[in-house]
Amino acid sequence: MSTTDSTAEQLRRRREASYRLPPLDCGHRDPEDCLTACTPEAGGNGTGPSEMLVELAEQIEPGDVVALWASAKSLFFAHDFPVYASEAWRQLGPDDPCRLAAALDAAEKWRKYGTDVTQWLEEASAPRPPLWTGRTQAELDEAAKPKPSRVLRATPGWPPIAIPGQPGRYLTDMQEMAA
């Protein structure tokens, strides 16, 4: 069986499955039925599909769908596509097989790994500041130097402070005032 036959079979099953959906305004369940049956010339009510839907249906050939899917499938298995939602992916056209292959890859990862992949995608696509805006080695060395110790002082109205290294001794606001 060729790829074309299996895709045609899939399209036939999709059409059969569409009859389980609620009907459109014209009464049909599949937009393909509306293309000819809903026109006033054919005895329909004239509410047929929108002009945009008619235009799209006329432009899409079944062979185009098959070719796009086959190309995307080969790219998917060869891992020859940009990461989903990356800058390179956004530059691709809507009918580019690489775009579909990346979407398939992301969907497969989401199915396999769940929401962890969604979080990874958000983090991976987040803009990062350039390296030159970071801190220099000299600034990091200066920040790593030990700081002088602070003089311990009690704050009025706060509880006593335990004096480090002298168990049982506390510094209170009264002691500081007396000193």
Side-chain angles (χ1 to χ4, degrees):
M1 179 179 271
S2 70
T3 307
T4 307
D5 293 336
S6 65
T7 303
E9 182 64 24
Q10 290 175 9
L11 291 173
R12 186 186 61 74
R13 282 184 291 179
R14 180 201 61 83
R15 188 177 178 107
E16 288 173 358
S18 71
Y19 287 95
R20 291 182 290 206
L21 301 172
L24 302 171
D25 292 338
C26 63
H28 291 103
R29 294 181 185 272
D30 193 334
E32 289 292 320
D33 294 335
C34 294
L35 294 179
T36 56
C38 290
T39 60
E41 297 85 27
N45 58 8
T47 62
S50 67
E51 291 294 322
M52 188 173 94
L53 182 61
V54 171
E55 229 176 85
L56 285 173
E58 289 172 353
Q59 291 175 2
I60 298 173
E61 294 291 327
D64 294 342
V65 174
V66 173
L68 176 65
W69 186 258
S71 299
K73 188 175 177 183
S74 65
L75 290 168
F76 174 75
F77 287 121
H79 298 287
D80 188 21
F81 52 87
V83 176
Y84 178 74
S86 67
E87 186 63 34
W89 181 84
R90 287 184 289 226
Q91 299 297 326
L92 297 173
D95 57 348
D96 193 326
C98 291
R99 189 176 178 102
L100 178 58
L104 291 172
D105 182 55
E108 180 62 22
K109 286 179 181 171
W110 181 75
R111 182 195 66 80
K112 189 173 182 181
Y113 302 112
T115 56
D116 295 340
V117 156
T118 308
Q119 182 180 4
W120 173 83
L121 281 172
E122 290 173 2
E123 291 171 3
S125 62
R128 289 183 172 57
L131 288 176
W132 57 267
T133 60
R135 293 165 49 173
T136 64
Q137 187 63 42
E139 290 173 330
L140 293 172
D141 291 342
E142 185 63 34
K145 287 182 181 175
K147 309 290 186 268
S149 60
R150 294 181 38 196
V151 176
L152 197 58
R153 293 181 189 205
T155 304
W158 284 72
I161 301 171
I163 301 174
Q166 300 178 8
R169 294 205 52 212
Y170 295 90
L171 181 62
T172 63
D173 184 36
M174 298 296 186
Q175 289 175 342
E176 193 173 282
M177 289 173 51

